Amino acid sequence: MMGLIYKDVVALKKQLSTLLVFVVVYGGFCIAGVLDFSIIGALITVFGLTIPMSSVALDDAAHWDRYVVSTPAGRSGIVAGKYLFTLLVILVSFLAGTAFMVSLSLLGFTDTPPLQLMVTNLSCAAATLLLDAILLPFLLKYGAERARVISMITFILIFGGGILLMRVMDNGSPLPSLPDWMGNTLPVLLGLLVAGGFALSYTIAQGIYLRKEF
Amino acid sequence: MNNALEVSHLTKDYGAFRLEDVSFTVPGGTIMGLIGENGAGKSTTIKCILNLLHRDGGTISVFGMDNLAEEQAVKAQMGVVLDESSFHEGLTPLQLGKTLSRLYPHWDDRYYQDYLIKFQLPGKKTIKTFSRGMKMKLAIAAAFAARPRLLLLDEATSGLDPVVRDEILDEFLNFIQDEHHAILISSHITSDLEKAADYITYLHQGRVAITGAKDELLETYGKLVCGKADLEKVDKSLLKGCRVGQFGCEALVKNRHAFLRRYPDLTVDPVTLEDIMVLTGKGDAQ
């Protein structure tokens, strides 16, 4: 499995360097005060979604999965490798993004306290994990090309839903208030939802790969 | 002598094509050549052994282990070369070696490096710069470096020039000097199999048409070359297939010695594997 992750990192080296340029450019904009620091959180989502998708696209193009199934790693190894790689991408993006934002906050480039920046990034990382949990089974079943449509629909539903919610709030319509117990435990509940969703997604993807033919 | 591979009553139904009741055995220390026309079921058979396809019936065992129940242990004993390169074009052979060393438990990196040198493959150039032949050699180097006991090769020598093919066939022959090693190789290039294989299984339209020791097959089967009038006199049950042309006829004789005892005036030539394939195919077509 570590071999598969190593392969993903090496095969995507060029793309990773391009994404690093994004970080530098957007970081520069943040320091210059052109963009808000929350853009770094958005980059975590961009990285966490595009990198695993690109890795599946490259595997498809090379028919790599067919080869790996014939090795001792087998079908379950491919799925485990891809999920672990996705987790790793999100974790590294979160850590790097947070370190960058907190450093700039401590240096006085933003008034936002470091803790709030961390919470912003953590929310972005959790949302990315949930989105990946939805997308990865489709990616592994249909391949990157065919799963692209499903990804678009998912994004439209989520972001469209978000915009709709904001419009409702802007119009002064009251949103149903959460019970006290739920309000207090919401972060824990969301955390469980994300972790449970990712675990469920992994189980579904294993089932998909078990039935797949090459 | 233990069997390296036993395929028994293998069945796979695609609807339009059906691999039916395929059985053969590859003893240790031997090379089994899998021949057949395009779409005869060679790749399907190899894919079923590798569990790339789900079989509909039959059993497959590798060194006595079921290929599904003990999949990981079975695959640790196998080196694989598929019909086309499945390696990422952006990787270099050295990076590929690092990847595969973490997938195969018996991976031998020194052996891999030796093969890269032997096959003149630059370790630091990306695979996308390689020719088809070089990619095939890289796949063969990787298959050997996994230190397998069974090599599965699907059209592994296609796309290689005769000199390299010969060199690789020598490597295959070296590999099976150990009687615990064996090779299953599918190929269209029957001359390669005539040179290297000990056993032949000929798949025709999804079924085993012929299987047995290569020398025995080449010794038993014969090619009848005669005129149309002579062919009409021959008992058709002695033939497996024939080709009737404008200037003469050719037919595959099942047992050339028995045939010559019955028809001493007719000429029966020794056959090649290609003759067996072509004439059996023609026999069906007619």
Side-chain angles (χ1 to χ4, degrees):
Chain A
M1 208 153 57
M2 295 318 287
L4 298 178
I5 292 169
Y6 168 80
K7 184 277 303 169
D8 277 336
V9 172
V10 174
L12 289 165
K13 212 159 59 181
K14 204 179 260 180
Q15 196 192 344
L16 294 176
S17 345
T18 312
L19 289 174
L20 210 64
V21 174
F22 270 82
V23 175
V24 173
V25 171
Y26 279 101
F29 282 143
C30 291
I31 293 167
V34 179
L35 289 173
D36 188 75
F37 270 69
S38 59
I39 195 77
I40 301 295
L43 283 182
I44 295 174
T45 306
V46 171
F47 287 15
L49 291 175
T50 57
I51 294 174
M53 204 181 280
S54 302
S55 116
V56 173
L58 280 177
D59 285 356
D60 287 350
H63 304 295
W64 170 251
D65 46 359
R66 192 177 66 138
Y67 182 81
V68 179
V69 170
S70 66
T71 71
R75 294 164 189 267
S76 60
I78 294 181
V79 177
K82 211 51 89 188
Y83 272 75
L84 206 58
F85 177 66
T86 303
L87 273 178
L88 207 67
V89 169
I90 296 172
L91 184 70
V92 170
S93 308
F94 167 73
L95 291 176
T98 305
F100 179 71
M101 285 162 81
V102 168
S103 310
L104 293 180
S105 168
L106 292 174
L107 289 170
F109 284 98
T110 175
D111 297 333
T112 319
L115 189 66
Q116 197 178 325
L117 291 172
M118 272 179 73
V119 171
T120 307
N121 280 3
L122 198 62
S123 311
C124 288
T128 313
L129 209 59
L130 201 58
L131 283 171
D132 277 326
I134 297 167
L135 294 179
L136 278 172
F138 289 110
L139 273 173
L140 293 172
K141 183 171 172 68
Y142 299 112
E145 196 59 46
R146 287 166 68 194
R148 201 158 285 161
V149 181
I150 296 157
S151 318
M152 305 265 277
I153 294 169
T154 311
F155 294 145
I156 289 168
L157 283 176
I158 290 169
F159 292 111
I163 290 167
L164 201 71
L165 200 69
M166 280 163 68
R167 285 267 167 88
V168 169
M169 287 166 76
D170 287 348
N171 288 341
S173 307
L175 286 175
S177 56
L178 297 170
D180 281 350
W181 67 267
M182 196 182 265
N184 296 334
T185 54
L186 198 60
V188 179
L189 287 176
L190 286 176
L192 286 174
L193 174 75
V194 170
F198 202 72
L200 180 68
S201 165
Y202 175 74
T203 313
I204 292 169
Q206 283 287 7
I208 287 169
Y209 241 69
L210 214 58
R211 285 190 293 277
K212 203 167 177 178
E213 296 206 317
F214 300 88
Chain B
M1 190 163 48
N2 293 324
N3 288 328
L5 174 67
E6 289 172 31
V7 176
S8 180
H9 307 294
L10 177 65
T11 304
K12 172 71 188 170
D13 195 352
Y14 283 112
F17 170 76
R18 188 176 164 86
L19 189 74
E20 190 144 9
D21 200 26
V22 169
S23 299
F24 60 87
T25 305
V26 185
T30 68
I31 298 177
M32 164 70 84
L34 202 55
I35 59 171
E37 61 274 21
N38 288 332
K42 303 186 296 295
S43 292
T44 302
T45 303
I46 288 180
K47 284 178 177 178
C48 285
I49 296 168
L50 291 167
N51 192 24
L52 290 170
L53 293 175
H54 300 300
R55 64 185 181 232
D56 294 316
T59 57
I60 297 168
S61 69
V62 178
F63 298 108
M65 298 179 282
D66 185 86
N67 79 320
L68 300 183
E70 293 169 89
E71 188 175 355
Q72 205 172 7
V74 163
K75 285 177 177 174
Q77 303 288 341
M78 291 200 294
V80 180
V81 178
L82 298 171
D83 51 353
E84 55 184 44
S85 171
S86 301
F87 301 138
H88 279 268
E89 301 262 294
L91 296 186
T92 66
L94 292 180
Q95 289 166 340
L96 179 71
K98 269 190 188 169
T99 303
L100 298 182
S101 67
R102 292 168 172 107
L103 299 185
Y104 283 102
H106 312 301
W107 181 265
D108 188 334
D109 207 50
R110 182 169 288 182
Y111 207 51
Y112 180 64
Q113 306 269 1
D114 286 348
Y115 268 104
L116 292 185
I117 294 165
K118 196 178 221 173
F119 291 155
Q120 295 177 319
L121 297 170
K124 289 179 179 170
K125 277 198 171 178
T126 53
I127 295 169
K128 70 177 164 220
T129 63
F130 287 9
S131 66
R132 180 175 155 75
M134 287 166 86
K135 286 177 187 169
M136 204 47 96
K137 285 198 270 187
L138 179 63
I140 291 169
F144 275 127
R147 286 291 193 186
R149 287 166 68 200
L150 173 66
L151 271 180
L152 287 188
L153 310 161
D154 193 5
E155 301 289 347
T157 53
S158 62
L160 300 176
D161 64 68
V163 178
V164 176
R165 268 194 357 242
D166 199 61
E167 192 185 328
I168 286 170
L169 287 179
D170 283 343
E171 294 296 335
F172 293 163
L173 291 170
N174 282 337
F175 177 76
I176 51 130
Q177 291 310 304
D178 183 335
E179 65 169 32
H180 299 295
H181 289 175
I183 297 176
L184 173 68
I185 175 170
S186 80
S187 182
H188 280 116
I189 308 168
T190 50
S191 59
D192 283 353
L193 298 181
E194 257 163 48
K195 206 180 289 178
D198 301 292
Y199 293 90
I200 294 292
T201 293
Y202 169 35
L203 291 180
H204 181 56
Q205 295 176 346
R207 290 170 176 269
V208 174
I210 295 166
T211 186
K214 179 196 70 187
D215 292 341
E216 214 170 279
L217 292 176
L218 296 180
E219 177 61 26
T220 310
Y221 282 84
K223 184 166 75 172
L224 170 66
V225 183
C226 62
K228 216 170 182 175
D230 284 333
L231 186 68
E232 277 165 12
K233 283 184 225 160
V234 170
D235 178 357
K236 295 290 183 289
S237 68
L238 301 176
L239 306 177
K240 201 162 169 70
C242 64
R243 177 162 60 182
V244 180
Q246 202 179 344
F247 304 105
C249 306
E250 287 179 331
L252 185 67
V253 174
K254 288 177 190 168
N255 186 327
R256 72 171 159 177
H257 302 291
F259 185 90
L260 281 174
R261 277 197 296 274
R262 193 158 157 193
Y263 301 103
D265 298 334
L266 294 178
T267 309
V268 178
D269 294 332
V271 280
T272 61
L273 292 176
E274 192 168 317
D275 291 331
I276 294 177
M277 259 177 74
V278 171
L279 290 171
T280 307
K282 290 282 172 188
D284 268 28
Q286 288 166 14

